[in-house]
Amino acid sequence: MAKKSNLRFQPAVDLSVIHASFVVATGGVCSDQRTESALLGPTSEINTRLVSALTDVRAFWSALFAAVAAGRSARQACPSALASAGCSELQIDQTAAALGSQLDQCRIVYQQRFPKLKEQLDLRAGPLKDRWQTYGPGLLIETARLIWGSTPPEKWWPDEVDCLLVQPVRGGDGGFDSGQCRVWIEAMLTDADPAVGEIFRLAFWVTQVAVGRHLAATLGHVEATSHPEDFGSGTHRRTSLPWDLGCVPVVLTAGANLELFRADPLPIQTAVGLWRLGDESVGAVVANWWDQWKDAGAAMPVALKALDRMLAPLRKRPETAGTLDEDDSSDNRSVR
């Protein structure tokens, strides 16, 4: 039996600022209009400066998010984030100095909006933390069993995973960094959707950490790690197999097997949309795939190859081809 991971819940004040700024700066759906209005000015100025320096705006925010998640201040992380986003070496120091003032302004207006954020995040963490301590370990064990059958790898789950809790600005969101055994999640007081509890979102991202570690161990580490995709989520190893989408029904089935909820059919399409992995058509394909393969007894990579073939027609749609092939969508991660 694969040993489960111990989750270390940590309120993330600085990351909350960057998360909210990232959402506003990149045009993501924001459920907090007051925060969005407060951050619109400084983030717009940052973006204008990035464009004038011929720097990839989204790549900058993503690299900044990853660095702040690792414990650096936004000012400290700014030069390396600019370098990751393609800023000319000759412009980095001058641009970083200019952006530092605006990043400070983001922090100031956010602190004015949430003056007791640390205490607020501690309180918000309570319901999810309590539920995870009760049901999370069993959910991970059952998820590993469904992926690997009766013989999951001994070190499939890392010993410890840091869970960074950020202030909600999107009505529920999360991500991961497999290289650092780290996940982050908006600290929701209640489930964003009663059909799919936040505990399953958290289990999904912890599973992505395990997947990324497994791919790195079996395929080898890449020479240069990429910045996490989208809102700070991502693995350092790309793969042609759609592990992210394939793990959605696995986690939900694990919950159903443990009687954490009762639903027939499983809310697969709801979860795909809620976790911003794809639109309704993507969710429908994943649900159809699971119906065909859940009892096939095939190894996960074999089943995922079938899912990839089933998703192929969606990549040809003119209106969605860009978001299915590139990591540039504000609210739906790519099919890959």
Side-chain angles (χ1 to χ4, degrees):
M1 179 180 295
K3 183 171 61 175
K4 59 186 178 296
S5 296
N6 175 45
L7 259 65
R8 300 186 296 191
F9 290 85
Q10 304 171 24
V13 174
D14 290 345
L15 191 63
S16 293
V17 178
I18 299 304
H19 171 50
S21 300
F22 191 164
V23 171
V24 175
T26 55
V29 174
C30 183
S31 60
D32 185 340
Q33 293 184 352
R34 288 180 60 188
T35 297
E36 184 175 20
S37 297
L39 290 171
L40 190 58
T43 56
S44 295
E45 291 193 31
I46 290 172
N47 286 353
T48 299
R49 185 76 187 212
L50 291 171
V51 171
S52 66
L54 302 178
T55 302
D56 186 319
V57 172
R58 190 174 192 84
F60 167 80
W61 285 105
S62 191
L64 187 70
F65 188 109
V68 174
R72 301 173 67 187
S73 70
R75 268 189 175 269
Q76 291 172 335
C78 197
S80 61
L82 285 168
S84 297
C87 183
S88 168
E89 187 174 336
L90 297 176
Q91 292 182 284
I92 286 179
D93 289 344
Q94 181 180 5
T95 305
L99 296 187
S101 298
Q102 294 305 320
L103 288 170
D104 285 344
Q105 186 61 26
C106 290
R107 175 178 51 80
I108 290 169
V109 299
Y110 199 83
Q111 287 178 339
Q112 292 172 343
R113 177 81 174 93
F114 301 104
K116 296 183 178 180
L117 183 56
K118 171 65 165 58
E119 295 82 358
Q120 188 171 331
L121 288 173
D122 283 332
L123 290 174
R124 282 183 164 274
L128 181 59
K129 185 176 180 180
D130 290 345
R131 194 158 194 226
W132 181 265
Q133 291 175 341
T134 302
Y135 301 110
L139 190 56
L140 293 186
I141 291 171
E142 181 64 10
T143 297
R145 188 191 69 79
L146 290 170
I147 293 174
W148 292 102
S150 58
T151 56
E154 178 63 27
K155 296 184 179 180
W156 168 249
W157 301 113
D159 292 337
E160 292 184 325
V161 174
D162 289 325
C163 180
L164 307 181
L165 299 153
V166 299
Q167 176 70 18
V169 292
R170 284 166 65 77
D173 201 2
F176 75 110
D177 185 334
S178 61
Q180 300 300 318
C181 293
R182 180 183 298 128
V183 300
W184 65 272
I185 191 169
E186 290 193 347
M188 301 285 288
L189 285 173
T190 59
D191 293 333
D193 190 308
V196 184
E198 290 300 292
I199 190 175
F200 298 109
R201 190 199 300 265
L202 182 53
F204 171 79
W205 291 122
V206 175
T207 301
Q208 297 310 295
V209 169
V211 168
R213 281 163 44 88
H214 172 70
L215 293 173
T218 56
L219 302 178
H221 292 280
V222 292
E223 292 184 2
T225 58
S226 63
H227 59 75
E229 296 91 355
D230 285 286
F231 295 100
S233 68
T235 178
H236 291 317
R237 161 64 71 171
R238 290 305 194 97
T239 171
S240 60
L241 296 180
W243 277 96
D244 51 355
L245 290 169
C247 285
V248 173
V250 171
V251 170
L252 295 177
T253 299
N257 290 348
L258 297 176
E259 298 185 347
L260 299 186
F261 69 94
R262 296 180 182 276
D264 187 19
L266 292 173
I268 295 172
Q269 290 176 261
T270 300
V272 168
L274 190 67
W275 301 342
R276 297 185 171 87
L277 302 171
D279 58 19
E280 291 182 2
S281 58
V282 173
V285 170
V286 176
N288 185 31
W289 166 76
W290 189 243
D291 284 341
Q292 296 180 34
W293 285 86
K294 62 183 177 181
D295 297 321
M300 193 66 172
V302 174
L304 290 176
K305 287 180 181 178
L307 175 58
D308 189 60
R309 290 193 296 270
M310 295 171 69
L311 290 166
L314 300 185
R315 299 189 184 97
K316 299 177 181 178
R317 296 179 303 176
E319 69 275 15
T320 58
T323 58
L324 290 174
D325 293 333
E326 304 290 342
D327 285 327
D328 61 0
S329 170
S330 294
D331 291 292
N332 284 318
R333 295 179 175 89
S334 64
V335 175
R336 53 184 185 271

